[in-house]
Amino acid sequence: MAERTAEISRKTNETSVSVRVNIDGTGTAKISTGVGFFDHMLDQLSRHSLIDMEIDVKGDLHIDDHHTVEDTGIAIGQAIAKALGDRKGITRYASLDLAMDETMTKAALDISGRPFLVWNVQFSAPKIGTFDTELVREFFQALAQNAGITLHILNHYGANNHHIAETCFKAVARVLRSATEIDPRQAGRIPSTKGMLA
């Protein structure tokens, strides 16, 4: 099987983003975005998806975290799409309910080539520390759009906003792991009656 790796560099007037992924990794992460809570969430994404991620971001944090978070999502999504190539042999679909203490969140994923995000998550406060909770959705919107995936995220319940955010990242990580895995019964076929996933 060919290596499923990719590198993306993206530079705008607002951010400079460099991302490298290895779909068939061990969940090793080297992450620096300048936003501590976001680094912690991306570490969870890498660790639980088993996708190796090297992420380096320089953003306009003197304004706020928005451009840094969104542009990182764009670059990770593009890197995953590039690494998956024509998507031959992948499992394609995955769904999971993930528990963390008092919180439970569901993620469901289709590596479809048709980007779509369904977001049913509410936070009880506008910030986790200094991090804007609304940016969690912005990240997953950018990721889904640029990876070409259909992604549904539903928080069933939870009281702690840190836990709610973290279960979103961990649940998405786990479904990414499952959906990108090679299914030996596919024998190198693209898992679609259309013959393509793009």
Side-chain angles (χ1 to χ4, degrees):
M1 186 179 69
E3 259 194 1
R4 297 192 297 171
T5 62
E7 294 185 41
I8 294 290
S9 293
R10 186 176 189 276
K11 187 170 179 59
T12 70
N13 291 333
E14 297 164 342
T15 62
S16 176
V17 182
S18 174
V19 169
R20 185 180 189 280
V21 300
N22 177 5
I23 300 292
D24 302 303
T26 59
T28 301
K30 184 178 178 184
I31 295 165
S32 176
T33 68
V35 181
F37 180 77
F38 187 43
D39 286 357
H40 176 47
M41 293 299 102
L42 293 176
D43 188 46
Q44 302 297 331
L45 186 68
S46 173
R47 181 76 54 88
H48 295 286
S49 67
L50 297 183
I51 298 174
D52 293 343
M53 295 185 184
E54 294 180 24
I55 301 168
D56 186 67
V57 186
K58 302 289 186 294
D60 54 359
L61 299 179
H62 61 286
I63 297 175
D64 66 9
D65 299 343
H66 183 105
H67 297 137
T68 293
V69 171
E70 183 176 35
D71 290 4
T72 301
I74 290 170
I76 294 172
Q78 290 174 346
I80 289 172
K82 185 176 178 182
L84 287 174
D86 61 11
R87 295 157 164 81
K88 278 184 182 174
I90 63 169
T91 301
R92 178 176 170 178
Y93 296 99
S95 179
L96 175 81
D97 286 304
L98 187 134
M100 179 180 178
D101 298 343
E102 86 297 343
T103 302
M104 182 176 285
T105 297
K106 180 184 202 67
L109 175 72
D110 175 13
I111 303 176
S112 60
R114 298 186 303 277
F116 202 91
L117 175 69
V118 174
W119 178 256
N120 195 342
V121 179
Q122 292 185 341
F123 294 98
S124 62
K127 287 185 180 289
I128 301 169
T130 61
F131 186 83
D132 294 331
T133 50
E134 69 180 10
L135 294 182
V136 180
R137 184 193 185 282
E138 293 303 317
F139 171 78
F140 287 115
Q141 175 66 45
L143 178 73
Q145 191 69 35
N146 288 274
I149 61 178
T150 297
L151 178 61
H152 292 233
I153 305 174
L154 165 65
N155 173 240
H156 295 298
Y157 44 80
N160 182 289
N161 288 309
H162 186 128
H163 292 169
I164 292 170
E166 190 163 338
T167 55
C168 291
F169 278 85
K170 285 180 173 177
V172 170
R174 289 292 303 193
V175 294
L176 265 175
R177 174 181 171 180
S178 298
T180 58
E181 284 180 346
I182 297 299
D183 179 353
R185 295 178 66 193
Q186 288 287 359
R189 296 178 304 179
I190 293 172
S192 172
T193 54
K194 294 180 177 67
M196 63 180 293
L197 290 171

